[in-house]
Structure formats: C-alpha cells, structure tokens
Amino acid sequence: MTDNRDYYDAFSARYDRDRDRGYHKLIDDQAAELVRRVGEGAEVLEVGCGTGLVLQRVAAFARRAVGVDLSPGMLEKAKSRGLDVVEGSATALPFPDESFDVAYSFKVLSHVPELPRALAEMLRVIRPGGHLVFDIYNRHSLRFAIKRLFGPRSTSTQFDEAAISTAFLTPDQVVAILPPGGRLVGQAGIRVITPHPAVLRLPAIGRAVEKLEWTLMDSPAARFAGFSVFTVEKDR
Ligand SMILES: C[S@@+](CC[C@H](N)C(=O)[O-])C[C@H]1O[C@@H](n2cnc3c(N)ncnc32)[C@H](O)[C@@H]1O
C-alpha cells in the first residue's frame, strides 16, 4: 500500500497531461455517462478519485460528489479543482454505513489486491437500493492480448502497469466475486476496439473509432472491452 502511495504520488505530477482530449477524454466521458445513469441528483462517492477528472464530470450532475484516494499528491490536484475529497483507502473507506446513493470507481480496483474487500466496502457505504459502478481490466480483450504480445507498456502512453499490482479478470470471474447483498443489474464496456490511445489522435480515423466506441459500450461486443464495467444494485 505504501509503495502504491509513493507510485501514485510520483504519477500525480504528470497524470493530467493530455487527458483533456483524445483517448483519455473519451474514456473519462464514458465513465461519467455510466455513473450518470444511476447517479443524477444523487449523493455519490468516487473511490480512487485521483486528480478528479471523472469526479468533476460527476459533480456536474450529482447532488453531492465526494472523492477518496490514498495519494496526497493526487488529492492536491483534485482539491485545486474545487472538489470535495478526503484521504483514505478503498479497503477501509472513512465513511459510516449507508452514506451515499452511489459508489463508483474507474481504473483503480484492478490495482487493489484485496478486490473483494474493496467491493464489500463500497457496498457498505451505499444505501439500500443504491448502486456500485466500477471497472475491472478484462482478460478477454484486445487490450490484454496486445499487452501479452508486446509487453505491459504497449497499450498505454503514460501508465506503467508493470510497476504496481495489476489484475486482469474475465467478466465471469468478476461476477463470481461480487459481494453478498448486491445483484448485478448492468454490464458495459469501455475501450472495445482501440488498440492504442494514439489511434484517437488520427484525424478521420480517430473520430470514427470514438463514435464506434460509444456505440459498442452497451453492445454484446462490450464483453470484450479492455475495461469491463459492472453496475450492482444493493438489496433493499
Ligand atoms: C489510474 S488512477 C485513476 C484516477 C481516477 N479514478 C480517474 O479515472 O482519473 C488510480 C488512482 O487510484 C488510487 N488508488 C490506488 N489504490 C488505491 C486504494 N487502495 N485506495 C484508494 N485509492 C487508491 C491512486 O492513488 C490513483 O489516484
């Protein structure tokens, strides 16, 4: 955990670079859209909010938007965006039971070795009838296949997944470890056909791929997305 904090603190200095356009903007817009479906007008928590790129989108439609992250460096940037954030761990969330309507997390839980515990914590802090929305890196994806063939840095411009614990699971493996007290109500996928972020920078091809990614997000092909997204409803 301390190692992870040091890694993310170092990463925070350059995390926002180029994320306001192209591939990174697309995946953050898609993440926010999947949260909006259950989080409009609601009290919402982002687990592993980083510099607040998704949280600032969510804050635009939520009644209350709060972020938690283990990295002070990341949190400094989120605070400079005027966001309501606190330091804490995904596996011991610093909130009482049933504090929020929605808890969500993107690009985080695949790096948390105690994933079932993190999911149970997220379920604990939401109210009955509320929702979890989270992504997990998909073992059945083009992104994973390319990584396998060409190495861990081959599908990313910035993020060195080899430097920290990273798990790739199939959608079925994720469904099998969902915490008791919640039921799966939705599955979607982000980054279905994009082989590398640079593709989104190509003038005409980039626009076509972006459009297709929005269409595929809710299609059967989403099962093979780089990021499998799950929506879970907490029992009433
Ligand atoms: C790749 S960044 C993603 C940030 C943000 N979710 C986004 O989509 O822009 C991963 C973030 O998760 C945080 N993180 C990693 N492990 C965590 C844990 N166990 N508890 C809380 N935050 C964690 C890191 O500090 C980092 O800010």
Side-chain angles (χ1 to χ4, degrees):
M1 170 91 76
T2 309
D3 288 349
N4 274 3
R5 184 182 289 127
D6 292 348
Y7 170 82
Y8 285 114
D9 273 344
F11 193 12
S12 68
R14 64 195 153 85
Y15 188 80
D16 283 357
R17 201 181 298 159
D18 289 336
R19 286 186 189 248
D20 57 349
R21 67 189 86 112
Y23 167 76
H24 292 290
K25 178 177 183 303
L26 169 66
I27 66 170
D28 287 351
D29 284 348
Q30 289 185 297
E33 164 56 20
L34 291 168
V35 176
R36 190 196 57 74
R37 293 174 184 181
V38 290
E40 200 146 22
E43 295 194 287
V44 177
L45 172 70
E46 178 169 349
V47 175
C49 62
T51 63
L53 290 171
V54 180
L55 189 61
Q56 71 176 359
R57 289 163 165 85
V58 170
F61 58 71
R63 179 152 47 92
R64 176 176 165 236
V66 178
V68 61
D69 198 286
L70 61 76
S71 158
M74 291 281 188
L75 289 170
E76 272 315 304
K77 304 248 170 183
K79 280 180 200 156
S80 74
R81 294 195 150 91
L83 295 167
D84 179 2
V85 293
V86 293
E87 192 176 326
S89 166
T91 51
L93 292 173
F95 305 101
D97 297 355
E98 303 181 9
S99 299
F100 299 93
D101 303 306
V102 174
Y104 74 91
S105 188
F106 285 92
K107 307 176 223 109
V108 176
L109 296 178
S110 288
H111 304 294
V112 176
E114 295 174 282
L115 172 59
R117 184 160 159 208
L119 291 176
E121 271 295 273
M122 288 172 71
L123 198 67
R124 177 183 68 76
V125 301
I126 63 168
R127 302 180 178 115
H131 293 89
L132 305 184
V133 184
F134 62 93
D135 73 354
I136 298 290
Y137 302 164
N138 186 1
R139 212 174 180 82
H140 288 170
S141 63
L142 179 63
R143 179 168 176 259
F144 182 70
I146 293 174
K147 264 188 210 296
R148 263 286 170 87
L149 279 173
F150 302 109
R153 301 208 69 153
S154 58
T155 60
S156 166
T157 47
Q158 296 179 336
F159 197 23
D160 184 4
E161 284 169 0
I164 50 167
S165 153
T166 304
F168 284 80
L169 302 176
T170 68
D172 287 346
Q173 286 174 321
V174 178
V175 170
I177 58 159
L178 290 178
R183 77 186 168 96
L184 186 68
V185 292
Q187 256 181 278
I190 291 175
R191 191 171 171 169
V192 182
I193 52 160
T194 303
H196 190 279
V199 169
L200 270 292
R201 285 192 230 123
L202 303 170
I205 295 172
R207 273 196 304 279
V209 170
E210 178 169 347
K211 227 174 143 185
L212 207 49
E213 288 286 4
W214 276 106
T215 305
L216 295 174
M217 184 170 85
D218 291 306
S219 76
R223 196 164 174 79
F224 303 104
F227 307 99
S228 305
V229 185
F230 302 85
T231 303
V232 171
E233 188 173 294
K234 183 167 176 170
D235 296 345
R236 288 172 194 276

